[in-house]
Amino acid sequence: MKKLSIILAAMLVCGVMQAQLVEGWQEMPTGVTENLFGVACLDKNEVIACGENGKILKTVDGGETWTVKHEKDGYDMIHVAFADAQVGYACGDSCWWNSDNHKGVIVKTTDGGETWQELPNTEFVHLQWPDWIRSSDLCVVDEETYYLFTKDAVLWRTTDGGQSFTSIPFQYGMVNHCVLFFEGETGYLVVIDNGTHIHKTTDSGLTWSEVVTNGAYFGYSVVTHFFDKNHVEMYGYFSEGTQNLLVTEDGFETVSYLNVECPIMDYYGMWNVSHSKYTSDTYGCILIGMTLTKGSTDTNPYIMKDGWEHCEWVKQGIPDCENNGMVQCRDLYAVDGVDTVFYIAAENGFVYKSAMIPVNGVEEKALQINVYPNPAKDRVIVEGIEAAEVGVYNSLGQLIKMMRGTNEIDLSGLVDGVYLLRITDVDGRSHAARVLVKQ
């Protein structure tokens, strides 16, 4: 029987549980002045960053000191990703704004980023400088297999560590946003140009088919969380002024929509999302980018912690911008993290590290609850807490059922789809879980 394990921290619940961590960001100078576009965490203290002039930096002490491990003048290293603690890849472009004169580069490390070797015959790589759109992505599956979606809407696949590549062209014009995800032989490619396109493969990228999302269009950008190969959630805008959450629990065999509102996001604020990182159910998603303020051409870097039902600014420690342009600010390009520790690659050689400071020196343990079976037919069981009240909500946010004093939730009579359970336990703490009902 499949169980859905949900880790919910107090800090993700709005107005009910007291936050136990003081949050903020610590500015970590790296000793270089070039913009940093990519970041990858090997653990909480060992981090790799990459950027302009082929720079690849490494820290082993949580960002206190950084060492340049690779450089290549005239090239911008855009992406870096690792298969494990030793093997990783970084890729870049020499002239992203000119399709005729550009030359790509891919480098590989087999010693945790200490040394990097340039791979042959990778001039084809064409990447977009990630100032306002993210039109390329790198997904490393294992030591020898990785996928690279390039600015010219071509998906490149290698199974021999980059010694050879096969290409799959996609017929898109200007790509505003893309993201790659693989688990085993199943993979997804999300592309946004003038619409939202979700492609799926079940044979390790040899063939792809576009999945149906009921015509959803997410505006200029979207935040996509791949929990696994079946559970995907996409947050964005279907049309101006309407924000929504797309949820599938079965690999897009069925799709449901939830009306959730994040008060710090608007249509204009979504289009400059640079990058997002989902690390755990406990700490949710860190979303970074540059908002475009209505009526203004100024951009503002922002960070959002997102629990879908609760969004909040997490900006402390990062210079802000004002419309008068007098306050120094920095563009934020990429984010990665391990559990509670996140790192952001930013312009001018800066890295920001999250500061999760326990109150009274003790971090509160997250509560783990299990809701099963999932998918469900006529009932689910809640384990790990004693439920005082459980509300069942449909994809329109409407309350369908309310039960009190029981951990066995009656779902009989519900049509197929994804439902949200809002649970209040006997200690007054709030929890949330989604259940897929399939009769």
Side-chain angles (χ1 to χ4, degrees), residues 100-151:
D100 296 324
N101 297 329
H102 82 96
K103 289 184 178 180
V105 61
I106 299 178
V107 295
K108 178 180 181 180
T109 180
T110 57
D111 55 11
E114 291 295 328
T115 60
W116 296 81
Q117 296 78 42
E118 189 169 325
L119 299 180
N121 305 316
T122 58
E123 292 84 1
F124 64 84
V125 175
H126 195 195
L127 306 178
Q128 172 74 40
W129 199 66
D131 56 343
W132 62 281
I133 61 176
R134 193 171 186 86
S135 62
S136 61
D137 199 17
L138 171 67
C139 181
V140 177
V141 177
D142 56 42
E143 294 182 358
E144 299 295 325
T145 305
Y146 58 93
Y147 300 80
L148 177 63
F149 188 79
T150 54
K151 176 185 176 181

Side-chain angles (χ1 to χ4, degrees), residues 177-194:
H177 180 86
C178 79
V179 61
L180 276 165
F181 172 85
F182 270 86
E183 181 181 313
E185 295 183 344
T186 300
Y188 293 94
L189 169 65
V190 178
V191 176
I192 295 178
D193 58 353
N194 292 321

Side-chain angles (χ1 to χ4, degrees), residues 29-51:
T30 61
V32 303
T33 58
E34 291 91 345
N35 294 331
L36 298 176
F37 299 132
V39 62
C41 294
L42 304 183
D43 57 37
K44 292 182 180 181
N45 294 310
E46 196 169 351
V47 183
I48 308 293
C50 67

Side-chain angles (χ1 to χ4, degrees), residues 66 99 148 397 407:
W66 295 80
S99 298
L148 177 63
N407 280 41

